[in-house]
Amino acid sequence: PKPTWANAAEFVDQVELCRSQDQICGSAWFRCASIIANDGGITNSMRYELYKYPALVPTMPWIDSIPPNRPIDLKIYRQDIGLYLAWEQPEPADDTDLPSYYVVYRFEDGAPNDLNDPRNIVKITRDQHFLDKSAKPGQVYTYAVTSVDRLHNESERFVYRTFSYEQ
């Protein structure tokens, strides 16, 4: 018989138990070969259940806690295959850091604009543009873009626009 840890349901239960404990701040996995081989469906459980939404890297406030400035001038353009977003890099922050990457959030019309909910992240990118191919015609979206520096401090403020995607 397979060991208990190789059972995807047991694996999911263990991760959810850890997540329910306030004093546990993450998980570490040993034996990468088991994950790569998808032993007992573990990889599928990770990809489609436990980690289906993107996550931001935790900050390192003991090194630097100054967030970068927010992106400037978000523009949205209708394209044949989606919505194209573009913005400008901000001025350096007080510690002279510029953004290392950006986080693009999307909210459907009427949904709370919750930047703490990873389901709202549609892209983490180093570029100053993004083509949202998953946008659906006839929908109204609000997009928010934040800047993130090299030590993963996210800008406190963000630039946002609401856009009605009509073809």
Side-chain angles (χ1 to χ4, degrees):
K2 285 188 177 183
T4 305
W5 58 263
N7 176 329
E10 175 67 24
F11 178 78
V12 169
D13 289 345
Q14 288 181 22
V15 171
E16 288 177 348
L17 176 64
C18 288
R19 287 179 176 175
S20 72
Q21 307 299 310
D22 290 339
Q23 67 274 21
I24 297 176
C25 299
S27 302
W29 310 112
F30 176 73
R31 204 138 186 296
C32 187
S34 298
I35 295 171
I36 291 171
N38 198 21
D39 288 346
I42 288 174
T43 306
N44 291 342
S45 293
M46 292 175 87
R47 179 177 292 136
Y48 300 113
E49 192 171 345
L50 295 170
Y51 301 107
K52 63 183 171 182
Y53 302 111
L56 301 183
V57 177
T59 62
M60 295 181 239
W62 59 91
I63 299 174
D64 172 18
S65 63
I66 299 171
N69 289 321
R70 69 178 176 85
I72 300 169
D73 197 25
L74 173 62
K75 291 187 167 78
I76 303 174
Y77 305 95
R78 186 178 298 107
Q79 301 285 311
D80 290 339
I81 58 172
L83 295 174
Y84 181 79
L85 288 73
W87 55 90
E88 295 178 26
Q89 177 175 285
E91 295 293 321
D94 290 342
D95 63 355
T96 72
D97 282 352
L98 287 168
S100 292
Y101 58 98
Y102 301 91
V103 183
V104 180
Y105 298 88
R106 183 181 73 195
F107 312 99
E108 293 190 9
D109 192 32
N113 296 352
D114 184 0
L115 274 61
N116 293 314
D117 185 343
R119 293 177 293 184
N120 295 323
I121 298 174
V122 289
K123 185 70 174 177
I124 299 172
T125 181
R126 293 192 182 280
D127 298 322
Q128 290 172 231
H129 57 87
F130 165 63
L131 177 59
D132 185 358
K133 295 179 183 178
S134 67
K136 296 181 176 107
Q139 294 286 339
V140 175
Y141 297 109
T142 297
Y143 289 91
V145 181
T146 60
S147 300
V148 185
D149 68 15
R150 65 185 184 84
L151 291 172
H152 314 291
N153 296 298
E154 187 175 19
S155 60
E156 294 172 354
R157 296 176 8 158
F158 53 90
V159 60
Y160 69 95
R161 292 280 180 268
T162 300
F163 193 86
S164 178
Y165 183 25
E166 304 295 334
Q167 286 198 321

